[in-house]
Amino acid sequence: MNNISGHFAITDLNNDLRPALQTIFSAEKPPSSILHGVRKLRKGLPGKNIVFFPSTKNGGLIPCESRLEAAYCLFLEHDRTIQIYRSQPVTMDFGPRGRYTADFAFLRSDGSIELREIKFSGVMNDPDIAIFYSWLTDALARLDIGFRVETEEMIYQAPRLGNLKYLYRGARAPDSELISNLALAILQELRGALSLREFQRALQQAGIPPLVAEKLLFQELACYDENLPVGPHSLVWLRSNQK
């Protein structure tokens, strides 16, 4: 096995790519809490808009090369089937086709691994780029690794992105399974739909941090109308399978 560290370009994809990704997923978190990939990103790099996304799922900061990538992290946090993810995970060397570093890699709860490239849709109008990503999708599929290009057309959907941003402040609030269960029990006792603000007040009266309400919504343990912008007056209710 030539390289499973992820710090050098992988040439033998058949033998090295999956072990390299698994090594990265299981690596210990650094003292700095910044979960750097193969490119050590830092703020102030020319031509880059570096963002450090505070990930609760990974317990550290995920370096992103753009605000679009940082926004995509919200979808990775929200997807309950994704256990762990990393940015700039590995560089692959395809010989004459050149080298390529994916923007994200993630591990699902069923053990499957997927890579993602984040691009503005206009870039995909370049036929050479479109052909390369089509070839890459097929090449990775043969290794049983999923791949897809995500653009702003999916990421910047309203009101979904705004709702995830609003609720993620609660997802980052410290709590425990016990607190979440108590909050859900309170929501069940209140019966029917009530406003988010009313739910927060009920939690506060029980000595539970109000932000736990947003956490339950972000984790889809409680419901709201996702077709509308979420806010204090949004109606919330218990999921039907939790009654």
Side-chain angles (χ1 to χ4, degrees):
M1 188 172 296
N2 298 324
N3 168 43
I4 60 169
S5 69
H7 295 293
F8 303 96
I10 296 174
T11 56
D12 187 353
L13 269 64
N14 288 328
N15 292 317
D16 290 354
L17 180 55
R18 184 175 291 274
L21 290 169
Q22 290 171 337
T23 297
I24 291 166
F25 292 142
S26 61
E28 292 185 5
K29 298 178 181 63
S32 68
S33 79
I34 300 176
L35 304 171
H36 285 291
V38 292
R39 297 172 181 166
K40 194 167 185 178
L41 304 178
R42 66 181 188 277
K43 291 190 175 182
L45 288 175
K48 300 289 185 181
N49 188 7
I50 305 301
V51 179
F52 293 106
F53 179 85
S55 169
T56 60
K57 190 167 284 188
N58 297 287
L61 300 174
I62 298 292
C64 301
E65 289 188 291
S66 67
R67 293 187 182 277
L68 185 63
E69 288 186 11
Y72 184 65
C73 287
L74 287 166
F75 292 86
L76 297 176
E77 295 284 332
H78 185 248
D79 189 334
R80 290 188 291 174
T81 71
I82 294 176
Q83 290 186 327
I84 190 171
Y85 65 91
R86 291 289 188 271
S87 63
Q88 309 288 322
V90 292
T91 297
M92 294 167 274
D93 190 337
F94 298 116
R97 290 183 179 269
R99 294 186 173 191
Y100 170 72
T101 303
D103 288 325
F104 291 99
F106 55 81
L107 175 69
R108 293 194 184 274
S109 54
D110 63 1
S112 61
I113 294 175
E114 298 184 34
L115 302 181
R116 289 292 184 272
E117 178 69 19
I118 310 302
K119 282 282 186 284
F120 280 97
S121 54
V123 175
M124 299 305 295
N125 293 329
D126 185 322
D128 291 335
I129 292 177
I131 290 171
F132 172 75
Y133 287 135
S134 177
W135 173 84
L136 181 60
T137 300
D138 293 339
L140 291 173
R142 290 193 288 272
L143 301 177
D144 200 25
I145 294 176
F147 176 81
R148 190 165 67 237
V149 178
E150 302 285 10
T151 72
E152 82 285 356
E153 294 175 351
M154 186 285 288
I155 298 171
Y156 284 164
Q157 286 183 22
R160 190 181 182 198
L161 178 59
N163 288 346
L164 292 180
K165 285 181 178 179
Y166 184 93
L167 298 175
Y168 190 60
R169 61 179 186 169
R172 295 171 60 192
D175 75 340
S176 65
E177 185 177 355
L178 174 61
I179 290 177
S180 293
N181 288 338
L182 288 173
L184 289 171
I186 290 172
L187 184 58
Q188 184 175 11
E189 289 176 2
L190 293 172
R191 300 183 183 279
L194 68 160
S195 73
L196 176 57
R197 178 173 291 170
E198 290 171 330
F199 184 31
Q200 290 172 325
R201 286 174 179 168
L203 294 180
Q204 194 167 25
Q205 290 172 359
I208 297 174
L211 281 177
V212 171
E214 280 97 324
K215 190 181 190 80
L216 297 177
L217 292 173
F218 188 86
Q219 295 176 334
E220 297 183 322
L221 297 175
C223 302
Y224 68 101
D225 189 343
E226 297 181 11
N227 296 313
L228 299 173
V230 68
H233 301 293
S234 299
L235 295 180
V236 300
W237 61 92
L238 198 66
R239 290 179 64 89
S240 57
N241 62 356
Q242 290 178 291
K243 292 181 180 179

